Amino acid sequence: DTATIEVEDVDDAELSFVDSTIETTQGGVAAITVEANDAADSGTLVIGDEGDFGYQANVTIDDFNDDDQITIYFNTYTAGLSDNDRLSSNDVDVDDIVWVDEDDLDEDAGISLDEGSGDGDEGEVTDDLEFLLSSGDYDLSVLAEEGDFSETIDSPDDVGSLLIEERQTNDLNIWTASDDTADDVLGDVEDVLAGAEDGNVTQRDLIAQDDWNIHELDATGLEGAFIYAEETDSLTDMFEADGADDISDYNNFFSALQGEEDNERAFRLRVRETRDSAGPNTERRVVQLDQVDDDDLEVVTTPGESGVFVALNTDAWNDDNVFQADSDALDEEDDYEFNTNFRVEDSWLLEFDEDEDDDLDELYQAIDSTYDVEERTGEFIQDPYNATASEEVEFTADTNIAPASEV
């Protein structure tokens, strides 16, 4: 009897980075995608190097998605905080620092990240940084072997670069969208940008009553804090103002992120009527964000995407309870002017020590924008129109309502 045996030359197991250079800013979330060849089904990823950069995170890749890839998110805001009391009201777990894309999880991709014993064991992540992870060019290393992180650094299959740039606080831009399209354009950052490209989200300094007021926070490095708050359920608590007895106590944006004291908060968002709009000797309307229903308030951010949008449905402003003190709801037949002020107060993000720095107002970073909130109006260009019944008839009108509104 004879038999034929076919011997194939199988490549060694190997991992590689899909993008060799990944960019983010301090406080941002980096998307690191690792690819495996046919012979590899697991491996290790090392972010940084304790000896060279003062920071290191060791990730075991347990499995890949159906395309032999895995996207791992790295939160530079929470990095170095798993054994740090800077965010005293919430414990930072290692899966708040590194986690897997949801679509990859659905295809059974997964990772393990051991917080370590703190005694220098290889499973440890750096967990005691004094300040926010510094800007710089951090090494990324991958190896198609599990558990040997020193080998991953010394003899990797592939190396990459994580470029972390200094963050900036630039501007606050006002956009608007119709309530009819809100569900489609406020899902994630890509949806907002796609809506802008399609003309359903427009940037302007006028909001028609009952349309959505979308605040674009043109400031880099905010998404890490927002995503952490969302994942730890403190996003739903960020508008709480229990016991507030003056305007300054309202809108304690993300107060849950930092210490237990009232004056320790990460950000402040204030939506307030201007003095010119309210008139002299009159209480200005201030939106109580904690009184806005969840359906009328959306915070839009996406891991790996720079940008944060805070959207408010002005239809809620027809409710007396939405405004601070005894201010009346908006009259649908009147026009108003509002100002939104967003202020970064996070000592971790701004890298200052509250115990040593006295004049905190100079350290905070604020952006704001003033805009009109007007009665919904519309007027035909020609009145009356004389037209013959036809499929091609077109009527033209001027209106201040958001595009794609059903009328």
Side-chain angles (χ1 to χ4, degrees):
D1 293 337
T2 60
T4 301
I5 300 175
E6 184 177 344
V7 179
E8 293 184 1
D9 185 10
V10 179
D11 293 335
D12 293 336
E14 193 171 273
L15 304 184
S16 60
F17 292 105
V18 172
D19 297 307
S20 59
T21 300
I22 297 149
E23 297 182 6
T24 189
T25 56
Q26 287 180 286
V29 177
I32 304 168
T33 302
V34 178
E35 187 172 41
N37 67 1
D38 291 339
D41 56 14
S42 62
T44 52
L45 162 70
V46 176
I47 302 170
D49 183 334
E50 183 74 36
D52 292 340
F53 303 101
Y55 182 84
Q56 183 172 327
N58 301 323
V59 182
T60 298
I61 302 174
D62 300 318
D63 207 347
F64 293 86
N65 66 16
D66 295 344
D67 296 321
D68 294 324
Q69 292 185 351
I70 186 170
T71 296
I72 298 169
Y73 294 115
F74 175 63
N75 190 336
T76 67
Y77 180 84
T78 52
L81 278 173
S82 55
D83 190 31
N84 191 313
D85 61 359
R86 289 296 292 268
L87 305 188
S88 58
S89 59
N90 283 304
D91 294 327
V92 176
D93 297 323
V94 290
D95 54 5
D96 296 319
I97 302 170
V98 180
W99 67 95
V100 178
D101 182 81
E102 288 186 0
D103 291 338
D104 290 349
L105 285 176
D106 291 340
E107 297 180 5
D108 297 325
I111 62 172
S112 304
L113 200 154
D114 184 6
E115 189 168 359
S117 66
D119 298 325
D121 68 304
E122 287 191 326
E124 186 179 6
V125 296
T126 305
D127 57 8
D128 56 355
L129 296 183
E130 183 178 358
F131 286 108
L132 183 71
L133 191 64
S134 296
S135 60
D137 194 346
Y138 292 77
D139 287 346
L140 299 172
S141 308
V142 285
L143 181 66
E145 295 181 12
E146 290 190 39
D148 195 341
F149 300 108
S150 296
E151 183 71 13
T152 304
I153 294 174
D154 294 337
S155 301
D157 292 335
D158 194 16
V159 293
S161 177
L162 174 61
L163 179 60
I164 302 177
E165 299 178 334
E166 294 184 0
R167 59 168 307 279
Q168 295 180 330
T169 301
N170 301 315
D171 205 354
L172 193 156
N173 301 313
I174 300 298
W175 300 68
T176 190
S178 164
D179 189 47
D180 297 314
T181 62
D183 289 343
D184 297 325
V185 302
L186 296 177
D188 57 29
V189 171
E190 289 184 352
D191 291 336
V192 178
L193 299 179
E197 187 174 341
D198 293 340
N200 293 331
V201 178
T202 55
Q203 183 177 351
R204 62 186 187 183
D205 57 4
L206 185 155
I207 309 294
Q209 291 194 48
D210 298 344
D211 284 339
W212 281 79
N213 177 7
I214 304 172
H215 304 85
E216 178 195 6
L217 306 182
D218 182 7
T220 58
L222 299 180
E223 57 270 20
F226 278 69
I227 290 170
Y228 169 68
E230 184 175 16
E231 292 301 317
T232 56
D233 294 328
S234 55
L235 191 62
T236 57
D237 301 330
M238 67 183 177
F239 304 118
E240 289 186 354
D242 293 338
D245 53 11
D246 59 53
I247 291 177
S248 64
D249 285 336
Y250 285 108
N251 309 328
N252 281 350
F253 198 64
F254 281 158
S255 59
L257 273 182
Q258 291 208 58
E260 298 177 357
E261 299 298 326
D262 290 340
N263 62 345
E264 293 181 353
R265 61 189 176 194
F267 310 102
R268 186 199 68 179
L269 183 71
R270 184 186 65 204
V271 182
R272 181 172 66 176
E273 187 180 13
T274 64
R275 171 53 62 199
D276 288 344
S277 177
N281 306 312
T282 304
E283 191 79 38
R284 287 189 278 178
R285 294 174 174 87
V286 179
V287 177
Q288 297 184 84
L289 298 174
D290 62 311
Q291 296 298 316
V292 177
D293 291 340
D294 290 344
D295 292 341
D296 294 322
L297 189 154
E298 296 287 345
V299 177
V300 182
T301 188
T302 306
E305 296 283 345
S306 178
V308 175
F309 297 87
V310 180
L312 294 167
N313 187 355
T314 62
D315 180 56
W317 298 7
N318 297 321
D319 186 345
D320 290 337
N321 295 328
V322 167
F323 293 111
Q324 186 265 339
D326 297 322
S327 301
D328 294 332
L330 299 189
D331 187 323
E332 293 186 352
E333 297 182 355
D334 284 343
D335 299 334
Y336 305 86
E337 185 181 63
F338 276 78
N339 175 273
T340 296
N341 180 284
F342 176 80
R343 189 164 74 177
V344 181
E345 301 181 357
D346 187 355
S347 62
W348 181 251
L349 201 59
L350 298 177
E351 299 183 272
F352 66 81
D353 192 324
E354 293 179 341
D355 295 329
E356 296 180 4
D357 295 294
D358 296 328
D359 196 351
L360 298 182
D361 284 340
E362 291 188 0
L363 299 171
Y364 295 154
Q365 297 176 348
I367 48 180
D368 76 300
S369 186
T370 299
Y371 48 93
D372 297 319
V373 179
E374 295 185 353
E375 173 191 5
R376 296 173 73 84
T377 60
E379 183 178 10
F380 286 109
I381 298 299
Q382 178 181 329
D383 189 14
Y385 265 100
N386 295 318
T388 303
S390 168
E391 293 181 358
E392 303 298 325
V393 173
E394 183 177 283
F395 298 95
T396 304
D398 284 332
T399 182
N400 64 356
I401 64 176
S405 299
E406 294 184 11
V407 295

